[in-house]
Amino acid sequence: MTDITLEGGYVTFYSQSIGVISSNVELCEVVDENYYHLGTNVGVLLINIAEFTINGITFSTSAEAVTYILNN
């Protein structure tokens, strides 16, 4: 599982397809119960909540993850 570090609207994490991503959150929206879009300076990424945590937190739904991101 990959951890996304989120602090003050700024994310840092490693993507297998892109490498290290360090960016402001430019977009964050629910796709369905298990996926959300995370907009970064390298593009919009499709994030699966089963494969990523945020600040060490595992979320049950993508809506919970999106709410957490938008409020932090």
Side-chain angles (χ1 to χ4, degrees):
M1 190 167 290
T2 301
D3 188 50
I4 297 172
T5 302
L6 171 67
E7 185 175 331
Y10 193 84
V11 291
T12 305
F13 64 100
Y14 178 80
S15 165
Q16 291 180 343
S17 59
I18 299 172
V20 175
I21 296 172
S22 293
S23 171
N24 287 322
V25 174
E26 298 175 0
L27 168 87
C28 192
E29 63 185 8
V30 173
V31 174
D32 67 21
E33 189 171 321
N34 298 307
Y35 292 89
Y36 62 93
H37 283 141
L38 181 62
T40 68
N41 63 347
V42 296
V44 177
L45 305 169
L46 182 63
I47 305 293
N48 181 339
I49 62 168
E51 297 176 10
F52 287 84
T53 59
I54 304 170
N55 293 342
I57 302 167
T58 302
F59 294 93
S60 300
T61 67
S62 59
E64 292 174 351
V66 167
T67 299
Y68 183 83
I69 291 168
L70 295 177
N71 289 328
N72 288 289

